Amino acid sequence: MPRVRDPLVVGRVIGDVLDPFTSSISLRVTYGNREVSNGCEFRPSAVVNQPRVEIGGNDLRTCYTLVMVDPDAPSPSEPNLREYLHWLVMDIPESTGTTFGM
């Protein structure tokens, strides 16, 4: 049976940008009706507005920070803007989305 590899490891996000981790909460990010996943590409016109973000859980006392970076900007072959910060939202309560953060 083939071993399933985490797309964040395959895409070198874990190990290059992030240390290995175990997910503790569900996170869903969508632009329109299209879900964001590792390696998917969006046209600039599709990402003009902030995405919809849904964070699982049920404890409003627990807050998260969402950081959206491009680890190989502007392209994988020439990443001279490594880890370009696109978006940062802090203090997002569990079970809500980014509209409740700062």
Side-chain angles (χ1 to χ4, degrees):
M1 176 187 239
R3 193 169 125 186
V4 177
R5 297 223 24 221
D6 186 327
L8 294 175
V9 173
V10 173
R12 294 189 322 253
V13 173
I14 293 177
D16 189 14
V17 178
L18 298 171
D19 290 333
F21 66 94
T22 301
S23 296
S24 61
I25 200 80
S26 64
L27 174 72
R28 184 170 186 242
V29 180
T30 55
Y31 281 100
N33 61 355
R34 190 166 168 215
E35 189 165 353
V36 174
S37 61
N38 188 48
C40 67
E41 295 183 14
F42 290 85
R43 294 186 183 278
S45 60
V47 295
V48 169
N49 298 313
Q50 73 181 32
R52 177 176 170 80
V53 177
E54 300 168 18
I55 299 173
N58 56 16
D59 185 356
L60 292 173
R61 296 169 298 170
T62 302
C63 293
Y64 295 90
T65 297
L66 179 63
V67 180
M68 183 174 139
V69 298
D70 187 342
D72 54 11
S75 71
S77 61
E78 191 175 333
N80 58 14
L81 299 175
R82 282 187 71 68
E83 296 187 36
Y84 181 85
L85 176 63
H86 286 284
W87 197 44
L88 173 69
V89 182
M90 303 178 308
D91 295 330
I92 307 166
E94 191 171 280
S95 81
T96 66
T98 56
T99 56
F100 292 93
M102 297 197 282

